[in-house]
Amino acid sequence: QVQLVESGGGLVQAGGSLRLSCAASGRTFSTVAVGWFRQAPGKEREFVATISAIGRVTYYADSVKGRFTISRDNAKATVYLQMNSLKPEDTANYYCAARNIGTSKKTVDYNYWGQGTQVTVSS
């Protein structure tokens, strides 16, 4: 089992930055891949970024590529999502998720989910 807790969300103006954190407990953190997803009201949950267990492999959604950076510190059992040049369309509830084998862009592939943190970008 892996327990995940997101933090770092908030209200920011367009063009601003936020850093989200996903703190994990339970199973050895360095053995799981982690993904960030987001869900806006009335929309499906969508992939944002993912990072492999030891951080060598990362993937991003086209909509955030070049603006967001995913990273992890396995000693602290934490994954980060640095979000720069934020746009109003980035407004959503952001979730981190973990899975036991390899990265994935699909929500159905993840076994463990956090409760989410709200990001609101004003224009």
Side-chain angles (χ1 to χ4, degrees):
Q1 285 280 47
V2 177
Q3 293 79 43
L4 304 170
V5 178
E6 303 95 334
S7 62
L11 174 64
V12 63
Q13 289 188 332
S17 298
L18 282 174
R19 188 177 80 158
L20 305 184
S21 298
C22 173
S25 60
R27 180 193 174 106
T28 303
F29 184 65
S30 60
T31 65
V32 298
V34 175
W36 282 99
F37 295 80
R38 65 187 181 186
Q39 188 168 19
K43 295 188 176 181
E44 292 187 354
R45 193 168 298 188
E46 65 175 7
F47 167 74
V48 176
T50 185
I51 189 167
S52 60
I54 57 174
R56 289 182 180 174
V57 177
T58 59
Y59 295 105
Y60 296 91
D62 288 343
S63 59
V64 306
K65 203 171 292 183
R67 299 188 298 123
F68 290 12
T69 302
I70 189 171
S71 62
R72 66 190 295 161
D73 184 341
N74 284 348
K76 296 182 178 179
T78 302
V79 170
Y80 304 98
L81 185 68
Q82 178 67 43
M83 306 187 296
N84 299 328
S85 302
L86 283 161
K87 305 175 181 180
E89 50 263 45
D90 294 318
T91 295
N93 205 5
Y94 283 71
Y95 299 87
C96 68
R99 67 189 303 262
N100 296 328
I101 302 174
T103 59
S104 174
K105 299 178 182 180
K106 300 178 181 178
T107 58
V108 296
D109 288 341
Y110 286 81
N111 310 101
Y112 311 104
W113 289 84
Q115 84 291 345
T117 185
Q118 178 67 37
V119 171
T120 303
V121 184
S122 63
S123 57

